[in-house]
Amino acid sequence: MSKPKLAYYLAGGCAGCDISLVDLADFLVDVVSAVDIVFFAPTLVDVKYKDFEALPDGSVDVGLLTGNIRNKEHEHMAKVMRAKCKVLIAYGICASLGGIKGLVNLHSNQELLEKAYRDTFSTDNPSGELPSPRYVVDGKYELELPELTEARTLDQVVEVDYYIGGCPPHYEHVKAALLALLEGKLPPKGSWITMGHAVCEVCARNPVLRGEKKKPVGEVRRVIEGGLVEEECLLEAGYLCLGPVTQGDCGASCLKVNIPCRGCGGPIPGVRDYGLRAISAIASALEDETLVDRIEDPVRLFYRYSLPGSMIRKRLGK
Ligand code: SF4
Ligand code: SF4
Ligand code: SF4
């Protein structure tokens, strides 16, 4: 029997999702033996775009696309992946909701280029040169860079069959998701592949799991202020933990090392806008509404991983 064909493409991501596959350790050997990897760009397999594009449409069983869609090349390859793959999965929170790199949508591309190439303390660029989409080297070799767009989620460009959260996805969850894929035990199309529980439900700090009552949040504190206590619910202690609204497929990893959940797992089932749900959860937990004024940089707290996939999507106006 022929093996299922797999394609993988890294768009606007950091390659951390690729590393999440390496984290599978010995199970990765089983996966690699069970599938036929026809495309894995740009990190693993040297297959050129034109060779992948030449495959018949629908000839690849599963495609994983990681990273958000940040330029015209990503957009083109997302469309190619969609055409070639019977099942297309947004792998990781960048592809699913835009990811932390989606916060670029708070700025114009011109502002970002100015900051990166002219204004930073470490920049040495006396002529103020900015990258340009076209450049001719030695008067004869034309180089072309893909045009930047705003950051988008994969499903803002093509139809997506499944979503996997995490930045990057946790290896235990990746293993469960790959097994479900190989065994054909997938949820309905359009779903997140998730164990279905919130971070709070798997967090050892949760007072409810110890048979105690939750306390209202009486202060707002930042991690930088210190004072985080092991075993205590960080939200009750005033650190704005987003565990109540976040998928807990990571096993509450951050809480095990004394860091509040920042929401990389994506929304618990049934949530349309992660940031809005997070605002609602935190607002309803606060003892006193004046505490809202103590929340520093609410956009980066509540929309850290999901701005492009939210109803707002980007900064509107100045
Ligand atoms: S989800 Fe996280 S680990 Fe994966 S590509 Fe995006 S930033 Fe990197
Ligand atoms: S709010 Fe955070 S610290 Fe508290 S139980 Fe939930 S995940 Fe754990
Ligand atoms: S605890 Fe939250 S931020 Fe940390 S890995 Fe899990 S989902 Fe991501």
Side-chain angles (χ1 to χ4, degrees):
M1 203 175 87
S2 64
K3 297 177 185 177
K5 291 186 169 46
L6 179 92
Y8 185 102
Y9 178 67
L10 163 63
C14 72
C17 283
D18 304 24
I19 300 297
S20 72
L21 296 174
V22 180
D23 284 344
L24 290 169
D26 52 339
F27 181 67
L28 183 60
V29 178
D30 297 338
V31 173
V32 170
S33 323
V35 298
D36 181 10
I37 300 174
V38 295
F39 184 65
F40 202 118
T43 50
L44 192 64
V45 179
D46 186 18
V47 176
K48 305 296 181 217
Y49 284 3
K50 65 179 171 52
D51 296 325
F52 185 54
E53 286 163 358
L55 293 178
D57 284 357
S59 61
V60 179
D61 295 286
V62 179
L64 301 176
L65 191 145
T66 181
N68 62 26
I69 307 300
R70 181 70 172 105
N71 63 37
K72 292 288 184 186
E73 180 176 333
H74 301 153
E75 185 177 328
H76 169 72
M77 287 308 296
K79 290 175 181 167
V80 175
M81 285 284 283
R82 178 65 279 179
K84 305 301 163 192
C85 302
K86 290 180 193 136
V87 172
L88 182 62
I89 299 176
Y91 183 66
I93 203 67
C94 279
S96 299
L97 289 183
I100 202 159
K101 298 154 89 291
L103 289 174
V104 293
N105 286 0
L106 293 173
H107 307 275
S108 69
N109 285 331
Q110 187 63 27
E111 284 170 350
L112 293 166
L113 291 172
E114 297 265 349
K115 175 62 83 177
Y117 291 93
R118 289 181 179 156
D119 298 343
T120 51
F121 175 73
S122 56
T123 300
D124 180 12
N125 181 9
S127 62
E129 199 76 31
L130 291 180
S132 102
R134 274 172 202 81
Y135 187 71
V136 179
V137 185
D138 297 339
K140 49 185 173 177
Y141 304 111
E142 193 167 331
L143 297 178
E144 208 171 313
L145 284 175
E147 187 190 325
L148 283 176
T149 60
E150 69 185 56
R152 285 170 292 167
T153 62
L154 180 57
D155 66 5
Q156 286 164 353
V157 177
V158 294
E159 191 179 344
V160 169
D161 296 311
Y162 298 105
Y163 302 82
I164 294 181
C167 179
H170 190 272
Y171 60 90
E172 291 288 358
H173 181 48
V174 176
K175 185 175 176 180
L178 288 175
L179 277 173
L181 259 173
L182 291 172
E183 292 166 3
K185 294 179 182 163
L186 288 167
K189 281 202 176 187
S191 308
W192 289 73
I193 300 178
T194 169
M195 314 286 183
H197 42 231
V199 176
C200 283
E201 292 174 81
V202 292
C203 175
R205 298 166 181 264
N206 189 341
V208 177
L209 298 181
R210 294 196 297 262
E212 298 163 20
K213 279 198 167 172
K214 271 191 186 173
K215 294 195 252 341
V217 181
E219 57 184 323
V220 170
R221 303 165 75 190
R222 299 180 71 197
V223 173
I224 201 169
E225 293 169 25
L228 291 95
V229 177
E230 284 185 31
E231 296 179 10
E232 178 184 29
C233 171
L234 294 184
L235 183 54
E236 286 189 352
Y239 303 98
L240 300 183
C241 179
L242 302 183
V245 293
T246 306
Q247 289 175 28
D249 300 309
C250 62
S253 297
C254 295
L255 288 307
K256 289 176 184 161
V257 292
N258 239 12
I259 300 288
C261 174
R262 290 308 186 210
C264 84
I268 51 174
V271 173
R272 185 161 160 226
D273 187 308
Y274 176 85
L276 276 181
R277 177 58 78 90
I279 291 169
S280 160
I282 295 299
S284 58
L286 296 179
E287 192 167 44
D288 171 351
E289 67 184 42
T290 61
L291 288 171
V292 168
D293 299 336
R294 292 262 298 133
I295 301 177
E296 298 258 354
D297 204 346
V299 176
R300 285 178 180 79
L301 174 66
F302 296 115
Y303 289 92
R304 180 176 302 215
Y305 293 100
S306 67
L307 183 63
S310 71
M311 284 185 249
I312 304 171
R313 286 176 62 163
K314 59 183 175 181
R315 187 184 73 191
L316 304 169
K318 283 277 175 195

